[in-house]
């Protein structure tokens, strides 16, 4: 997940302080990926080094406002224009665990069942969060994405179970 | 308050054990989903819960009444139980409101009152404007909402839904679950059979059936 690109996208709407970027990022993603303020400033200083953002005035509390540069805008455009490739995602521990269970566990079915219950519970929690997240479209779509992922996992677990029986 | 109780319920059809010693309770205010592969006993469970079928052994009680001892089962069903099926069974020569008031009229409620009740529940499912439309004039999602209104009319406190989202798209399916969820939150007991995890996830409790037995249950933390 690219914090850098997320922050650049927010800055493309106008100059912002670090604390504002953090709040807006979490509002969009429904605090699904909480950021600490340190991460925000580290990311901003690297982006500044790379010429993607530049600092503006400092307010009376010593906070610096950041604005995006032309190079930064181009980078955001490139990011939005590039589809995410499967190889960008980390290895899936569950897939590896189930492959090992089928190969080496005396009761792979019980591993599948335990996972299914856990994934269903996750999905129940996500669905409840979605019910409570009326209004904010970005937040709801993030939750929808996680629900679709959990759903795919459950379908795959059913598929694994059929293969075993 | 427990509205549905199944105690060691089994159902066999010839040699086939469709349900095998199932214990289940559904309380007022609770939405419970039943999942499982086809042939796992989901629909049998729902039919037994609604008194549409009788167990081979064990007891089924609705609102505290043992169904085996109820003299007029049809009346109890009309009074206490609402059904939503995948096959909507709407009557095509009747308007939406006439379809919804039908069970109340069968129960001896005067037409005028039945109509008022039907309009109120159509309002609840967002179809007040379409009350005079015929089923063929409605979209699939709207027809399903009429079927749900018919299941809810007359304050029936146990709602049984068998694959109520059928072939609806996910947004329309979510609307259907919103209605069932709201009904549970308002104090009904809802038992939902579905093979779709995303709809089961609206439940407080999800029960997994395999070969007629409950193999696991997932309870939402601090559910209600």
């Amino acid at each position: 997940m690219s914090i850098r690109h997320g922050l650049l996208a927010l800055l493309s709407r106008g100059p912002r302080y670090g604390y504002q970027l953090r709040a807006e990022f979490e509002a969009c993603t429904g605090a699904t990926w909480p950021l600490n303020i340190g991460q925000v400033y580290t990311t901003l200083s690297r982006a500044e080094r790379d010429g993607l953002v530049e600092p503006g005035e400092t307010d009376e509390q010593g906070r610096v406002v950041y604005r995006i540069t032309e190079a930064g805008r181009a980078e955001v455009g490139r990011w939005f224009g590039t589809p995410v490739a499967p190889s960008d995602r980390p290895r899936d521990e569950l897939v590896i665990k189930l492959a090992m269970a089928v190969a080496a566990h005396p009761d792979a079915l019980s591993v599948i069942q335990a996972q299914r219950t856990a994934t269903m519970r996750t999905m129940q929690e996500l669905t409840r969060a979605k019910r409570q997240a009326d209004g904010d479209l970005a937040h709801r779509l993030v939750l929808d994405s996680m629900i679709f992922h959990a759903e795919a996992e459950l379908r795959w677990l059913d598929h694994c179970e059929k293969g075993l029986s | 308050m427990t509205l549905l109780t199944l105690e060691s319920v089994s159902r066999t059809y010839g040699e086939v054990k469709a349900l095998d010693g199932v214990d289940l309770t559904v309380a007022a205010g609770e939405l419970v989903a039943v999942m499982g592969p086809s042939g796992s006993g989901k629909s049998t469970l729902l039919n037994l819960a609604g008194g549409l079928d009788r167990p081979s052994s064990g007891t089924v009680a609705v609102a505290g009444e043992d169904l085996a001892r109820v003299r007029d089962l049809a009346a109890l069903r009309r009074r206490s139980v609402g059904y939503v099926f995948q096959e909507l069974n709407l009557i095509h020569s009747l308007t939406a409101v006439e379809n919804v008031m039908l069970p109340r009229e069968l129960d001896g409620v005067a037409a005028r009152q039945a109509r008022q009740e039907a309009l109120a529940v159509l309002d609840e499912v967002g179809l007040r404007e379409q009350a005079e439309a015929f089923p063929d004039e409605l979209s699939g999602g709207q027809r399903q909402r009429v079927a749900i209104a018919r299941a809810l009319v007359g304050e029936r406190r146990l709602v049984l839904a068998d694959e109520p989202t059928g072939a609806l798209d996910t947004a329309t399916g979510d609307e259907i679950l919103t209605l069932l969820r709201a009904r549970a939150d308002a104090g009904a007991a809802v038992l939902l059979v579905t093979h779709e995890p995303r709809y089961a996830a609206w439940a407080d409790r999800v029960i997994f059936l395999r070969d007629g037995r409950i193999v696991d249950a997932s309870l939402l933390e601090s559910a209600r």
Side-chain angles (χ1 to χ4, degrees), chain A residues 109 113-114 116-118 120-121 123-125 127-128 130-131 144 147-148 150-151 154-155 158 161-162, chain B residues 35 170 174 181 196-198 200-206 208 210 215-223:
Chain A
L109 217 51
Q113 188 60 45
R116 181 158 44 210
T117 306
M120 178 50 80
R121 190 162 302 143
M123 208 155 148
Q124 286 170 274
E125 280 157 11
T127 304
R128 178 161 64 182
K130 188 173 125 174
R131 290 209 308 272
D144 270 329
I147 288 171
F148 277 114
E151 187 179 21
L154 287 166
R155 283 185 196 287
D158 285 346
E161 184 180 292
K162 276 201 195 100
Chain B
M35 297 200 71
T170 54
D174 277 355
R181 180 73 248 179
E196 297 273 1
R198 64 177 300 111
W202 286 73
D204 301 303
R205 202 150 36 105
V206 182
F208 297 92
R210 195 192 306 130
V215 290
D216 207 353
S218 162
L219 178 66
L220 185 57
E221 291 296 319
S222 71

Side-chain angles (χ1 to χ4, degrees), chain B residues 6 17-19 21 49 91 96 102 128 133 136 151 166 172 195 199 209 219:
Chain B
L6 277 73
K17 258 200 164 166
L19 272 191
I91 297 170
L102 192 60
R128 183 65 184 78
D136 291 343
T172 316
H195 69 280
Y199 301 128
L209 275 183
L219 178 66

